[in-house]
Amino acid sequence: MMAADRPAWRLAKALLLLGAWAAAGPPLRAVGLSGSAQALLVSPTAGADDDWDGLEPAQQRLLSASEDAYNALDFDGAEALAQQAIDARPQQPLPRLVLQGALLARLQELDAAHQRDPATERRFDAATQAVLDAARAWRGGQGAWPDFYRGAALGSRGLVNLYRGSYLSA
């Protein structure tokens, strides 16, 4: 069973994304996950013509492609696409959040296979801190965007801490 098929994961991700994106006000796009759950989750990657806190359409497309890649379990591709978006706008937190999401998906699959990869965990921790730092410094955000970035990063970190068995730090 893939980690994304777990009921607790589906609920946590759906609530996190739905609540944060509803507060921030961007358009939503639903994506279906394959597997036994057939879950319908909210995705921050709406159409490339929408305003995503100042990201250009090319960067929006990179982030959409990254999300599609990690949902297809192409983690190397997902990370590379997110990194391209980071390189284009290093000060913007959203591409860093998508990179963190790709690393989270990789860690979930490792957890489902009862495996651990300390190098991926370290990259996830560094990506999480990068989102938090970028969100703290971000001045281009409107309304709830910086809070969304921080909340999503911290929620993902809590989930990974659960996978690590660190229940109190989750």
Side-chain angles (χ1 to χ4, degrees), residues 34-96:
S34 60
S36 61
Q38 296 297 314
L40 187 65
L41 300 177
V42 176
S43 167
T45 52
D49 56 348
D50 300 315
D51 178 25
W52 295 3
D53 198 21
L55 285 179
E56 299 292 326
Q59 294 145 349
Q60 295 172 27
R61 285 188 296 274
L62 284 170
L63 296 182
S64 289
S66 175
E67 200 172 58
D68 290 343
Y70 72 70
N71 283 328
L73 307 182
D74 176 12
F75 302 119
D76 292 335
E79 292 175 38
L81 290 162
Q83 189 61 54
Q84 288 178 37
I86 291 168
D87 293 344
R89 285 283 303 276
Q91 73 281 12
Q92 222 284 359
L94 183 56
R96 295 178 185 284

Side-chain angles (χ1 to χ4, degrees), residues 70-160:
Y70 72 70
N71 283 328
L73 307 182
D74 176 12
F75 302 119
D76 292 335
E79 292 175 38
L81 290 162
Q83 189 61 54
Q84 288 178 37
I86 291 168
D87 293 344
R89 285 283 303 276
Q91 73 281 12
Q92 222 284 359
L94 183 56
R96 295 178 185 284
L97 188 62
V98 173
L99 175 61
Q100 185 206 32
L103 290 162
L104 171 62
R106 185 186 292 256
L107 288 171
Q108 289 170 327
E109 290 304 311
L110 288 168
D111 182 68
H114 305 288
Q115 298 175 358
R116 291 192 66 176
D117 181 2
T120 300
E121 290 182 23
R122 284 191 298 275
R123 288 186 6 251
F124 174 84
D125 291 338
T128 300
Q129 192 58 52
V131 174
L132 296 173
D133 293 344
R136 194 173 299 110
W138 183 240
R139 299 289 182 249
Q142 301 174 10
W145 282 108
D147 292 333
F148 164 73
Y149 300 136
R150 285 190 295 272
L154 292 171
S156 295
R157 181 173 68 187
L159 190 58
V160 167

